[in-house]
Amino acid sequence: MLTIPQTLLERITEAAEAAFPYECCGLLAGRSGAAPGETLVTRMVPSPNVTETQAEDSFEVDPQVRFDLMRALDGTDERIVGHYHSHPGGPALPSATDLKMAYETDLIWVIVAVKEGQAVDARAHGVNPDRSAFHAIDLNLVAD
């Protein structure tokens, strides 16, 4: 289960709407939650989409954003737990391109579907250890 404060998910959906018709992206930081298997998101860090292909259907987090976040988390109980991106005109489900880019099987993927500039769905996904497929992860919204 991925537990995320409502305001952080709102910031992610706002970024997805603002980036339309392109994909937005960013990183999620957090720690293990109280429940077994729970991941708690404590912050989201936006990134420019630095993809070298079409930003309408692909994304790449700026490596500098990742390095800066790793440095900021050093010595804390937080770590990078995942990333988010949007699917303009598509569902909040991983694409074949997403699966090809799923190198880190311990990271959670939050995907926001955006239709005509409006966020309509957000879902969390994990990557199977053998990288053969994604699986759904329950998304638990909490008040701040």
Side-chain angles (χ1 to χ4, degrees):
M1 171 175 29
L2 182 70
T3 298
I4 185 168
Q6 179 72 36
T7 56
L8 290 183
L9 186 61
E10 287 171 3
R11 287 179 54 203
I12 292 168
T13 58
E14 288 167 1
E17 291 173 351
F20 187 83
Y22 304 107
E23 291 195 11
C24 75
C25 60
L27 296 170
L28 303 172
R31 60 181 173 272
S32 297
E38 178 186 25
T39 300
L40 174 63
V41 175
T42 54
R43 63 176 102 177
M44 55 83 67
V45 179
S47 170
N49 184 348
V50 297
T51 185
E52 293 182 1
T53 59
Q54 293 182 339
E56 293 91 349
D57 62 4
S58 65
F59 78 97
E60 183 177 345
V61 171
D62 185 336
Q64 189 63 54
V65 171
R66 184 174 178 138
F67 293 138
D68 291 348
L69 180 57
M70 290 168 62
R71 277 191 221 105
L73 299 177
D74 191 36
T76 72
D77 67 343
E78 293 176 287
R79 65 187 190 287
I80 295 174
V81 296
H83 46 74
Y84 65 88
H85 74 281
S86 59
H87 279 179
L93 300 171
S95 66
T97 301
D98 292 336
L99 188 58
K100 287 181 199 173
M101 302 304 292
Y103 298 112
E104 297 171 281
T105 58
D106 59 330
L107 295 184
I108 295 171
W109 293 56
V110 172
I111 303 174
V112 178
V114 182
K115 303 280 187 198
E116 298 177 8
Q118 296 293 313
V120 295
D121 192 15
R123 298 184 189 191
H125 309 275
V127 182
N128 292 351
D130 65 1
R131 296 182 51 224
S132 63
F134 282 91
H135 56 272
I137 294 178
D138 290 333
L139 189 59
N140 178 36
L141 295 178
V142 293
D144 298 72

